[in-house]
Amino acid sequence: MTTEYPPCASVKLRVLATTDLHMQVRGWDYTADRAAPGMGLARIASLIEAARDEAPNSLVLDCGDHLQGNPMGDLFAGESGLHPMFAAMHAAGIEATTLGNHDFNYGLEALENALETAPFPVLCANVVLTGDGALLVPATTILERRVRDAEGAEQVLRIGLIGLCPPQIMMWDARHLSGRVEAGDMIDAAAAHVPALRAAGADIVIALSHSGIEPGPRQPLQEQASLHLARVPGIDAIVAGHQHRLFPGPEFAAGDGIDHEAGTLHDVPTVMPGFWGTHLGVLDLDLVRDGNRWRIAGHESTLRPVADRTADGSLRLLVPESPAVL
Ligand code: MN
Ligand code: MG
């Protein structure tokens, strides 16, 4: 018996990722009020622009801890209107994010004020309101994007996203959150929401996991859960964060499903781009459509720094700051 499928298609999708920006808009130490040029979203935005120019199709995602981290975060906390960090992220091209634990630091009213005018989806699947159990923010979304395949033809790709945040917010921000919201286990939340995201038409699913990478067996309410997230069926790629580390790279050891050279967790392509805008995460996904299903046939996970060190130890800036973000 033979089955006839529509012709195959292949699409290269470049996923660019930031995490733990913590209000670091420009290369400035906002506490000491002096230049700190080796970091900041403004320089990351130039890396984003260059990386987009090299790829036929791209998407820019953030992984949380954006609204807090320096005196500028304190200054704008609770203000109504478009939050300057969200404005800066939007100017950099960021298309979706999740809530990180620090985004709760100023309380729910301040967070809701910022969310009201957020120019992109802000997701979180494991925080619900006490009482009716409704989600605080949407758990997932699908970004429908027109992409170019290898033959130059247009394809429509529905990219599913899910956001996750450490449930430890219930301790760290108990005074703001106790009795008002409840935070559940990130893996349980992913296992509950990813099938629905697939059923709603997501061709691929990328997890925005504000959570680090930790070897060893799964723990209940685990803070660093990205390794176990990779085992949840239906997740194709992971943007990780919270740990303020770089993945792939030597900060992690191999083993237990972690491949710190290839940048995979249980063979799922993963990136963790540090913090404060020192690095851009680049996940290159080769997607192949067999019939109606898209699958990942190849991938590469890398990091790009905004600066490096010369032989004499001095900082060398690799890109300028983006005027759009400044
Ligand atoms: Mn952080
Ligand atoms: Mg965090």
Side-chain angles (χ1 to χ4, degrees), residues 19-20 22 63-65 68 99-103 165-166 169 172 210-211 223-224 241-244:
T19 192
D20 296 88
H22 287 285
C63 198
D65 273 6
Q68 176 276 352
L99 292 177
N101 53 296
H102 283 293
D103 301 320
C165 167
I169 58 169
W172 297 331
H210 189 84
S211 181
E223 181 183 348
Q224 316 296 359
H242 183 56
Q243 249 173 347
H244 291 201

Side-chain angles (χ1 to χ4, degrees), residues 193-301:
H193 285 280
V194 169
L197 189 52
R198 287 272 174 189
D203 295 312
I204 62 166
V205 172
I206 304 171
L208 304 178
S209 171
H210 189 84
S211 181
I213 301 166
E214 178 179 73
R218 186 182 163 192
Q219 311 288 339
L221 296 172
Q222 192 163 349
E223 181 183 348
Q224 316 296 359
S226 290
L227 179 61
H228 303 291
L229 189 63
R231 280 254 160 100
V232 173
I235 291 179
D236 296 295
I238 297 173
V239 179
H242 183 56
Q243 249 173 347
H244 291 201
R245 293 198 202 169
L246 298 170
F247 185 86
E251 294 182 15
F252 291 89
D256 245 4
I258 302 169
D259 187 332
H260 69 291
E261 285 172 351
T264 58
L265 302 177
H266 297 298
D267 298 321
V268 174
T270 301
V271 73
M272 191 198 295
F275 65 105
W276 294 1
T278 61
H279 291 74
L280 177 67
V282 182
L283 279 176
D284 281 315
L285 306 177
D286 298 328
L287 306 175
V288 173
R289 196 189 67 206
D290 299 319
N292 295 325
R293 285 189 64 88
W294 290 90
R295 63 183 173 81
I296 296 186
H299 52 79
E300 192 178 0
S301 169

Side-chain angles (χ1 to χ4, degrees), residues 167-189:
Q168 284 70 20
I169 58 169
M170 297 310 301
M171 299 186 293
W172 297 331
D173 272 313
R175 73 196 171 100
H176 292 308
L177 304 182
S178 183
R180 303 191 59 192
V181 297
E182 281 153 36
D185 182 270
M186 290 184 277
I187 307 301
D188 289 346

Side-chain angles (χ1 to χ4, degrees), residues 62-128:
D62 177 74
C63 198
D65 273 6
H66 22 63
L67 297 177
Q68 176 276 352
N70 63 35
M72 188 160 61
D74 300 344
L75 187 65
F76 288 100
E79 296 281 313
S80 54
L82 179 60
H83 194 287
M85 189 58 187
F86 284 164
M89 291 164 71
H90 186 58
I94 289 169
E95 293 163 84
T97 187
T98 184
L99 292 177
N101 53 296
H102 283 293
D103 301 320
F104 291 89
N105 286 168
Y106 300 115
L108 286 176
E109 283 72 22
L111 177 58
E112 275 158 8
N113 277 351
L115 293 174
E116 220 160 75
T117 50
F120 36 64
V122 181
L123 310 172
C124 186
N126 63 313
V127 178
V128 298

